[in-house]
Amino acid sequence: MLPRRSSPINTPFQNPALPIEERVNNILSLMTLEEKVANLGTDPRVPRLGIIGSGHVEGLHGLALGGPGAWGRVRDAKGNSQNIPIPTTTFPQEVGLGETWDPDVVKQAAAAEGYEARYIFQSEKYQFEQKPRGGLVMRAPNADLDRDPRWGRSEESYGEDSYLDGTMVTAFVKGLQGDDPKYWQTAALLKHFMANSNENGRGGSSSNFDERLMREYYSVPFRMGIVDGGARAYMAAYNAWNGTPMTVQPVLKSMTMKEWGLDGIICTDAGALTNMVTQHKRYKTLDEAAAEAIHAGINQFLDQYKEPVNEALKNHRITEAEIDEDLKGVFRVMIRLDCSTHPPWSGMQASEGILPLGTTNPGL
């Protein structure tokens, strides 16, 4: 994520010996407002400062960089899209992994997936026009509960029992992120928080139940993945809980951040910003919706967000300081993914095509 190892350390954020918070604060102090808005998407980078982060990849049961979904697509310098798949290992869907009742096996599968993601992202062999392929923020595991087999994505859940799901989620998170005390192999991004297991109208529907059921059932796999597994990223669901869309639900801050210790990425689902206007009818304008999402803790949008965010700034609905506070979570995750000072994963050597992030000399 951070500059090349061969570069001299001349700003605090480049110094891996400093605390994460000091490095993050230094990054934000050097960024322009335009750069900050640009980093509210899913591709955090500040080329002017030499900061190249990582975007998202799908990985519920194996790294998705090919297949019918065209996850291997790339864009050339002219913006033309090409599908160049990369073969990766495929494991059983989450429902199949859940049927093993074996968290050790689930952790091993996730570790293999994370290894492949890191290998491809860092290897010159897989670069396209001198840019890394894939990413290190894995949209996995799915911590949703499958209460009804008629739900269209039942195969993406470990099952209906909250403790089983939470145990498997925790194992998958630990496998993806690895055991290194300083750096993660990849970052687990749990989805979809929460009560997302309905299909028809989920973009604007509300899942209604009391706080006890929320705390004792629907939120349990997410809590276990964050508190026990160490995940520091998740995706908010399309639906509302008791009438308030999850993209702006106060529990994002009051529970997941303040109680559970989540200090990383909270992203929207694709199009969820727009849905708050068109389907939930929560807000009349996109700039109001964007402002409230930022107030709620959202720091990555999977939507056409720049114009609404800039309009919200213009209309004084949000401040640069509020954007700074949210972006801290993104850069905390990026720094935890960094291996610019030494390769922290045993067995991943330059001779295998693995390079520490940001380096060009295989001998380093």
Side-chain angles (χ1 to χ4, degrees):
M1 193 284 278
L2 301 181
R4 305 178 186 279
R5 289 198 314 170
S6 56
S7 302
I9 295 176
N10 50 32
T11 51
F13 78 82
Q14 294 174 283
N15 186 351
L18 292 178
I20 286 179
E21 290 306 296
E22 189 171 338
R23 299 173 73 187
V24 167
N25 289 336
N26 179 240
I27 289 172
L28 291 168
S29 73
L30 298 171
M31 292 172 65
T32 66
L33 180 56
E34 182 180 3
E35 289 169 336
K36 291 172 183 178
V37 172
N39 276 269
L40 288 169
T42 59
D43 187 19
R45 59 180 59 226
V46 191
R48 180 178 61 85
L49 300 177
I51 297 174
I52 305 298
S54 167
H56 295 192
V57 286
E58 298 286 351
L60 289 180
H61 58 109
L63 175 62
L65 287 178
W71 292 111
R73 60 183 179 271
V74 292
R75 292 189 181 277
D76 60 25
K78 296 181 179 179
N80 300 315
S81 179
Q82 301 179 50
N83 186 26
I84 307 176
I86 298 174
T88 58
T89 305
T90 298
F91 298 96
Q93 286 271 25
E94 278 200 17
V95 66
L97 292 173
E99 288 170 352
T100 67
W101 294 83
D102 191 337
D104 290 336
V105 167
V106 170
K107 181 180 179 181
Q108 290 178 47
E113 176 183 321
Y115 187 100
E116 290 185 353
R118 173 65 70 167
Y119 186 104
I120 290 169
F121 188 79
Q122 291 188 189
S123 176
E124 289 184 326
K125 173 182 177 181
Y126 293 106
Q127 287 185 358
F128 178 76
E129 295 189 350
Q130 297 183 324
K131 296 179 180 179
R133 295 287 306 279
L136 299 177
V137 179
M138 313 294 292
R139 290 178 185 165
N142 190 325
D144 293 326
L145 291 154
D146 180 22
R147 300 196 71 177
D148 189 331
R150 293 173 297 179
W151 177 37
R153 297 171 73 170
S154 293
E155 76 281 357
E156 292 187 12
S157 171
Y158 293 113
E160 65 179 344
D161 182 84
S162 59
Y163 182 74
L164 170 66
D165 273 47
T167 301
M168 295 304 190
V169 164
T170 298
F172 205 91
V173 169
K174 289 183 176 180
L176 284 178
Q177 297 191 170
D179 300 320
D180 189 85
K182 187 170 184 178
Y183 295 114
W184 293 339
Q185 178 172 245
T186 58
L189 186 142
L190 313 180
K191 57 183 192 178
H192 313 78
F193 185 75
M194 65 179 171
N196 184 60
S197 49
N198 63 294
E199 193 67 16
N200 293 332
R202 65 191 171 126
S205 64
S206 181
S207 300
N208 301 325
F209 45 86
D210 62 19
E211 184 173 357
R212 178 176 179 179
L213 189 58
M214 182 271 286
R215 288 186 175 271
E216 294 184 0
Y217 187 69
Y218 284 105
S219 69
V220 169
F222 292 93
R223 172 178 55 79
M224 292 177 68
I226 292 168
V227 176
D228 301 335
R232 290 296 180 267
Y234 68 82
M235 178 183 291
Y238 284 122
N239 58 278
W241 173 46
N242 293 345
T244 301
M246 291 308 305
T247 305
V248 294
Q249 248 291 345
V251 294
L252 302 188
K253 280 189 174 179
S254 65
M255 186 169 69
T256 72
M257 295 175 70
K258 293 181 179 179
E259 294 183 24
W260 299 351
L262 191 287
D263 65 352
I265 292 171
I266 306 178
C267 72
T268 71
D269 207 336
L273 172 64
T274 302
N275 288 355
M276 289 198 292
V277 175
T278 61
Q279 296 191 45
H280 286 288
K281 310 294 185 182
R282 178 81 175 187
Y283 306 107
K284 293 182 178 180
T285 62
L286 284 173
D287 69 300
E288 185 181 3
E292 292 308 306
I294 288 171
H295 290 156
I298 294 294
N299 52 23
Q300 287 195 338
F301 290 94
L302 277 71
D303 213 322
Q304 299 298 318
Y305 73 91
K306 288 185 180 180
E307 184 175 340
V309 168
N310 283 321
E311 193 69 16
L313 283 164
K314 178 182 176 181
N315 293 331
H316 306 290
R317 297 186 188 274
I318 52 173
T319 65
E320 183 174 359
E322 289 171 325
I323 292 177
D324 285 356
E325 193 61 34
D326 282 2
L327 281 178
K328 287 179 182 180
V330 174
F331 287 108
R332 287 187 193 110
V333 171
M334 292 302 111
I335 287 176
R336 288 170 180 145
L337 286 169
D338 180 42
C339 60
S340 61
T341 55
H342 63 91
W345 295 281
S346 61
M348 299 184 77
Q349 304 298 328
S351 60
E352 297 179 87
I354 298 301
L355 298 175
L357 288 182
T359 69
T360 56
N361 185 348
L364 290 178

